Amino acid sequence: MPRVIVAALAALLSLSHVEARAQAYPSKPIRFVIPFGAGSATDALARIIGQDLEQTLGQPIIVVQKPGADGALAAGEVKRAAPDGYTLLFGTNSPLAVAPNMQKDPPYNVLTDFTPITFLGENSFFLVVHPSVPANSLAELIAVAKASPKPLNYAAGNTYAFVSMAMLAKRNKIELEAIRYKSEPDAIADLLSGRVQVMNGTATSVAAHVKAGKLNAIATMLDVRSPLMPDLPTLIESGQSQFPIVPWFALVGPADLPADVVATMNKAMVAALARPAVREQMERHGFMPKSSTPAALAAYMKDQLAIWKTALKDSGIEPQ
């Protein structure tokens, strides 16, 4: 009997511990590690959602910028973090689908080294040029590139910009030279000065400059026109086929993240992305919010790894 009682008490204590942990999380600030710098689209999105989560979770959300290596530096930090829910990767396609395909020896396995929490949505990209480039349409830009004695330079502040422009160049048999940056805020400065001539950029980085007449918009990468620039034609309207790749966001944690932590954060995120005030702020930046279950995100990441692998190969980009 004593042994039975001891075993029962141990089971009750264990259950109480699990319940206490579920009730306690979060009990301290949560770090969102992002793969790009301050002022980037990812930074803006993390802060918009973070402000809402602070109200619902009752703890500060700290946005930590860790740009570099196509997002692999940020992902690596989260991979090495304790699986307690206090260090999460507020990631994009860059660290979660592209970086592993661009390296011969990837520093992590997306499908086993991270715990999916929720999909966050997709982003809008706009093809813009410096006013010195005599092009007001994609067809004119292609003609300028073909007539130029040397390749036009394009700024790439993220992997979507890098790969999509490489794909555009190969499809149209033109030469474009990529100038790569750790983050869009670094790239936009060179574009505005004319040191680079073309950029496929997010609304966060380019919309205000287009409105001010400092950059000329050529097309949107969306399959429908964007309400942010309704007069701008889509890729298809510009005579091109749609790219097979899309820029997206997702929240993941380290491997072995407890199920109750995943459930708590997923529930809070799904609620935040459904709130009209949050959605309105996101849409002003060109974000298209969309949440998911952890399982759906896991399946999506697996598909995206394959899609981006093919896209890189078709664009002539070899793993380094």
Side-chain angles (χ1 to χ4, degrees):
M1 286 296 294
R3 289 182 181 179
V4 173
I5 294 172
V6 169
L9 286 174
L12 286 172
L13 286 171
S14 177
L15 181 61
S16 298
H17 175 72
V18 171
E19 291 176 348
R21 185 182 66 184
Q23 292 172 355
Y25 179 80
S27 60
K28 62 181 182 179
I30 298 169
R31 299 168 71 244
F32 280 172
V33 182
I34 67 170
F36 300 106
S40 64
T42 311
D43 184 58
L45 179 57
R47 293 182 186 282
I48 289 170
I49 296 180
Q51 288 176 359
D52 184 89
L53 291 177
E54 288 182 345
Q55 301 302 313
T56 57
L57 295 176
Q59 292 294 335
I61 303 295
I62 301 171
V63 178
V64 180
Q65 298 99 7
K66 200 172 184 65
D70 296 314
L73 293 183
E77 178 169 327
V78 174
K79 172 193 171 182
R80 296 186 295 272
D84 55 11
Y86 293 103
T87 299
L88 304 174
L89 177 65
F90 199 100
T92 70
N93 50 274
S94 288
L96 295 174
V98 191
N101 282 313
M102 290 183 68
Q103 299 185 34
K104 291 180 180 179
D105 186 20
Y108 51 80
N109 184 314
V110 170
L111 303 180
T112 60
D113 288 334
F114 301 100
T115 303
I117 297 175
T118 182
F119 190 69
L120 298 172
E122 297 177 356
N123 203 2
S124 304
F125 270 68
F126 302 94
L127 185 59
V128 298
V129 298
H130 187 266
S132 63
V133 179
N136 294 305
S137 68
L138 184 50
E140 290 180 359
L141 178 61
I142 292 169
V144 168
K146 286 183 175 180
S148 178
K150 59 181 181 179
L152 296 180
N153 293 331
Y154 71 91
N158 50 63
T159 58
Y160 180 78
F162 176 51
V163 179
S164 62
M165 291 301 291
M167 189 171 290
L168 182 72
K170 190 166 184 180
R171 284 182 177 182
N172 293 279
K173 299 179 180 178
I174 58 176
E175 289 191 58
L176 299 174
E177 184 173 344
I179 308 298
R180 304 199 66 194
Y181 300 83
K182 288 184 178 180
S183 208
E184 274 195 343
D186 302 322
I188 200 71
D190 280 358
L191 180 64
L192 290 170
S193 71
R195 284 192 286 271
V196 291
Q197 300 147 304
V198 185
M199 180 173 172
N200 189 11
T202 64
T204 303
S205 294
V206 307
H209 299 301
V210 170
K211 187 176 181 179
K214 296 178 180 179
L215 297 173
N216 294 331
I218 298 296
T220 175
M221 299 297 107
L222 300 172
D223 55 4
V224 295
R225 293 197 178 199
S226 168
L228 297 178
M229 299 186 199
D231 295 330
L232 203 62
T234 66
L235 209 59
I236 294 174
E237 290 174 324
S238 300
Q240 302 286 318
S241 57
Q242 194 66 35
F243 292 139
I245 53 176
V246 294
W248 50 270
F249 299 86
L251 186 71
V252 303
D256 302 320
L257 203 60
D260 56 282
V261 171
V262 174
T264 296
M265 184 55 72
N266 178 274
K267 181 179 179 180
M269 273 290 190
V270 170
L273 293 172
R275 256 185 279 283
V278 173
R279 295 181 70 88
E280 182 181 349
Q281 289 186 72
M282 292 175 67
E283 288 163 0
R284 284 205 299 265
H285 282 270
F287 301 125
M288 294 161 282
K290 182 182 178 182
S291 59
S292 75
T293 64
L297 175 57
Y300 182 80
M301 290 194 300
K302 183 177 181 179
D303 288 343
Q304 285 292 303
L305 282 166
I307 288 170
W308 279 91
K309 183 176 182 178
T310 300
L312 288 166
K313 183 178 180 180
D314 292 346
S315 302
I317 300 171
E318 297 292 334
Q320 301 297 314

